[in-house]
Amino acid sequence: MPTLTLSQVTKSFRDQRALSDVTLSVDAGERVALLGHNGAGKSTLMKIVLGLIAADSGTIAILGSPQGSPAARRATSYLPENVAFHPALTGLEQLRLYLRLRGEPVGQAVDLLERVGLGAAGRRRIGGYSKGMRQRVGLAQALIGRPQLLVLDEPTSGLDPVSRRDFYSILDDLAGAGTAILLSSHALTEVEAQTDRIAILSNGLLVANDSLASLRRRAALPIQVQIATRPDAVEEVARRVAGTRVNGTRVELTCRHDNKLTRLAEVAGLGDLVEDVEIVPPSLEQIYHHFSKAGAAQ
Amino acid sequence: MTGIAAIAICEFKIALRNRWVAIAVVIMALFAAVLSAAGSAPSGELGVDKLSLTVASLTSLAVYLVPLVALLMAFDAISGEQERGTLPLLLTYPVSRLEILLGKFVAHLGTLALAIAVGYAIAALAALAFDGEAVQGLPALARLYLTSLLLGAAFLGLGYAISAVAARPGAAAGAAIAAWLMLIVLYDLALLAGVVADDGGAFTRSVFPWLLLANPADAFRLYNLAASEGTSAATGLGGAAQTISPGLALVSVAAWSVIAIGLAAAAFRSVKP
Ligand SMILES: Nc1ncnc2c1ncn2[C@@H]1O[C@H](COP(=O)(O)OP(=O)(O)OP(=O)(O)O)[C@@H](O)[C@H]1O
Ligand SMILES: [Mg+2]
């Protein structure tokens, strides 16, 4: 049984359709990235999963319990987008509240703050924290009590590059221990490397839901081949492979997935005119554009 | 239960940090001290001990101050969470909305209990220092203290209900002040006008007492002034009001504190995070 299942979830705000017939599941130990333009419905989907807003139709189950039920709430941790806390409390006091609410020993507050790199600031009031520091308090509270489902709305927004890396390594640990993770993000490059599956929402429609490799195959976007040539051979190489000369020593060509090997063989046939070859697969950004465009057209 | 305690501990910390505890204590202490100083003259003349007189004047003070402080502490409780954006996250925790509300209630009522205790203690000590007979007034003081907490509870509940409905702290603050003016000041003025216009007619005899009972602040005043004969003699409460039994007035104050919390819980339940 997947940890989280949504089937045919639909939600409108007055005449504004936010989610249309979305079916999605997340297994234990799986990390799923939810992508989509601003207003695509990511946060709405998450709030519905948490029982904060009601869906118009469709069903949601968290380990077999309906969203918002006590059992579902015990199993789930959430990091909202733009997480906020009471400015008069210190980081430690705020975490102690959340620990008590989950029935965990309050002594863990110090360790949790250490884990997100906030050990030193724990005794200062949150009112004086930077955006990234508040985000880290948000992460710390989401880690309380080894949740079985983790729902993170733009968790790395406001984090510096080093903390982003640390954050994903924490996620790896949790996923390794069986936590199902659903996270939304606009940072495609980091999501590309750190998640198991990509779900793309476009205008409330789920237009893609697969591993990156499968999405790549399905999108069948052209692959780019970059050829570094000998300085005196760039014209000849460009002519013989029908590529585009980029500068004095580089030629680029694009090819489809299914004739990649044929094209590479042609390049190999150029012998010592070529100094190096690099194959650049379509980035998640290109794949994302491909699927979001398809969704917008529907 | 642990949910209520968790919220209460946190809210009390916030009340301390935001100086609400200090402000409430200082307000109560200040007014009680001023009142004891001002009321030191006519002792003995009415054949009543000094503490009983103090209780009578504390009652008139508490009717204004306790609801005001309670409303000021409560108006931010839910609207503030909404404004700060802290409500959605809190509501995803395994804690019910009723528990959240009761947690805040426990912390705020604790703050009120502390402030009122300090204020009344100052007034009582002043009375005891000048009059050996004043110990006779201690039961009246105890009654006043406990009913002050009930009155505070009723207005905390009302404040939470306003906070839940208003959704923004600014609007909630305005509505809280308006509620205080209407229930504490205008309500009595309107009743008084009615009694004057009626000139001892049916309204004064059969409707007016029930209207007094229906307002928790008036019921509170009725109970404390009527509960001890001495003090009611001292303040010369209107004849019609004395037809109401103090027991009924006590029931009214207690009932309002429960009803107000119930109203707040219902209002909070329909808040969309
Ligand atoms: N409370 C609300 N009332 C009315 N409309 C809403 C509400 N919440 C969301 N919407 C609408 O639903 C749609 C989806 O919004 P949502 O916040 O889910 O987008 P998102 O994918 O999270 O965007 P972003 O990347 O900017 O965070 C938008 O059109 C938004 O205007
Ligand atoms: Mg969003």
Side-chain angles (χ1 to χ4, degrees), chain A residues 35 37 186-189 192 198 200 207-208 212 215-226 252-255 279-295:
Chain A
L35 308 181
H37 294 335
H186 292 295
L188 299 183
T189 35
E192 189 167 3
I198 309 275
I200 301 176
V207 291
L212 185 57
L215 290 182
R216 204 165 256 155
R217 231 174 297 124
R218 265 179 41 209
L221 292 170
I223 293 162
Q224 201 180 53
V225 181
Q226 295 180 345
E252 274 183 10
L253 61 90
T254 53
C255 62
I279 301 165
V280 184
S283 66
L284 176 55
E285 196 170 322
Q286 289 165 305
I287 295 170
Y288 170 76
H289 278 298
H290 172 82
F291 283 103
S292 323
K293 258 207 320 266

Side-chain angles (χ1 to χ4, degrees), chain B residues 42-210:
Chain B
S43 160
E45 288 165 22
L46 291 155
V48 182
D49 71 276
K50 197 162 171 55
L51 186 53
S52 296
L53 281 177
T54 302
V55 166
S57 34
L58 281 178
T59 301
S60 318
L61 173 75
V63 154
Y64 289 94
L65 225 45
V66 169
L68 184 66
V69 174
L71 285 170
L72 289 180
M73 279 199 293
F75 82 83
D76 190 58
I78 294 157
S79 56
E81 300 259 8
Q82 279 184 294
E83 174 104 335
R84 282 192 297 277
T86 48
L87 195 55
L89 180 57
L90 186 58
L91 291 178
T92 63
Y93 270 78
V95 57
S96 71
R97 291 187 186 209
L98 184 63
E99 286 174 306
I100 294 173
L101 191 72
L102 289 179
K104 286 173 183 271
F105 175 69
V106 168
H108 292 153
L109 192 66
T111 304
L112 262 184
L114 184 70
I116 297 173
V118 170
Y120 290 1
I122 288 173
L125 288 176
L128 287 165
F130 291 104
D131 182 2
E133 299 290 292
V135 283
Q136 287 170 15
L138 282 177
L141 185 70
R143 283 195 296 269
L144 174 67
Y145 182 67
L146 293 177
T147 48
S148 295
L149 292 187
L150 285 178
L151 183 66
F155 278 86
L156 281 174
L158 184 65
Y160 299 145
I162 289 172
S163 190
V165 172
R168 299 194 141 272
I177 296 294
W180 181 81
L181 270 177
M182 274 190 311
L183 289 174
I184 309 297
V185 183
L186 297 180
Y187 192 89
D188 285 3
L189 283 180
L191 285 194
L192 200 64
V195 169
V196 169
D198 186 47
D199 194 23
F203 172 79
T204 310
R205 274 179 280 110
S206 49
V207 183
F208 171 69
W210 294 106

Side-chain angles (χ1 to χ4, degrees), chain A residues 73 84 88 93 98 125 141, chain B residues 13 17 84 86 91 93 95:
Chain A
R73 287 205 252 169
E93 288 165 348
Y98 293 130
R125 292 190 195 183
Q141 65 81 29
Chain B
K13 198 149 272 166
R17 196 79 32 91
R84 282 192 297 277
T86 48
L91 291 178
Y93 270 78
V95 57

Side-chain angles (χ1 to χ4, degrees), chain A residues 11-14 16-19 34-47 53 81-82 153-154 184-186 201 204, chain B residues 273:
Chain A
K11 173 76 188 173
S12 299
F13 294 101
R14 287 182 211 91
Q16 170 77 36
R17 183 53 74 90
L19 292 174
L34 193 57
L35 308 181
H37 294 335
N38 294 133
K42 305 180 294 294
S43 300
T44 303
L45 186 147
M46 291 183 164
K47 286 179 191 162
I53 53 182
E81 67 182 337
N82 308 321
D153 203 346
E154 301 188 27
S184 73
S185 181
H186 292 295
L201 276 175

